[in-house]
Amino acid sequence: DFTGNALTLTGSGNTLGGDFTVANSGVFTTGNAAALTIDGSFSQTGAGGTTLGADLVADKGIDLAGDLTLKGDTDEPIRLATDGLAGSDIRLGGDVDNTAGESLVLDAGAGGDITVMGDVGDLGTGDLEITNAADVRFDGLVTADKLLQLAGTGTTTLAGTLTLASDLDFTGNAL
């Protein structure tokens, strides 16, 4: 666990055997090669934000309180994923943006829910992809090149305005 201003991980092969909580007032950052795999849950609880340059996989859930910025290689998909069991949810409490056309891929499996409370800002050429989830909810604006949902067992709700430069492809139970 980390409590403080800012934390930056730049090394590759980051694996944690339990839960990981970051209580940051600055920015929690992972570099382009710094994929993070966590056997437990990941929680960002401070007033600061999160900048991801690589994938974040946390088996028991991902909860980001602040804004999320994708900062990988140009047009890179950056994946947030859980083990897919009930309760292994992905919750993004702030706004989502990118820096170079990165795409956001969310995968909570058939049993986990995905909730994005802020706006998904203009991702430019970046896509928003839901690989799998039970219920999916976007409370704010969604602006991206494409929105793709490959599988879903519950309901997908887009509560704000949806602006896409290209396709909306939905496979799931209810939209």
Side-chain angles (χ1 to χ4, degrees):
D1 292 347
F2 171 82
T3 301
N5 183 39
L7 174 64
T8 301
L9 301 175
T10 57
S12 61
N14 300 295
T15 302
L16 300 171
D19 297 335
F20 184 36
T21 299
V22 174
N24 56 314
S25 56
V27 179
F28 168 64
T29 303
T30 65
N32 289 19
L36 186 57
T37 302
I38 302 166
D39 290 341
S41 64
F42 175 79
S43 182
Q44 180 271 320
T45 62
T50 299
T51 298
L52 295 178
D55 295 347
L56 170 60
V57 177
D59 285 349
K60 302 305 174 199
I62 297 169
D63 188 349
L64 303 180
D67 293 343
L68 170 62
T69 301
L70 307 175
K71 192 174 181 178
D73 295 326
T74 300
D75 297 326
E76 173 185 8
I78 296 178
R79 183 173 68 108
L80 278 63
T82 70
D83 63 10
L85 300 176
S88 295
D89 302 329
I90 297 173
R91 181 189 163 278
L92 306 180
D95 294 339
V96 179
D97 207 350
N98 66 4
T99 59
E102 299 89 350
S103 295
L104 177 60
V105 179
L106 302 170
D107 186 356
D113 295 333
I114 296 171
T115 304
V116 180
M117 299 173 73
D119 293 339
V120 177
D122 187 355
L123 297 182
T125 58
D127 299 331
L128 179 58
E129 177 182 311
I130 296 102
T131 305
N132 198 359
D135 292 323
V136 178
R137 181 170 180 88
F138 291 93
D139 288 336
L141 305 173
V142 174
T143 306
D145 183 43
K146 291 186 250 183
L147 173 60
L148 303 101
Q149 183 165 337
L150 305 177
T153 59
T155 300
T156 297
T157 303
L158 301 165
T161 301
L162 175 66
T163 304
L164 302 174
S166 187
D167 300 331
L168 169 63
D169 291 326
F170 177 79
T171 302
N173 187 49
L175 177 62

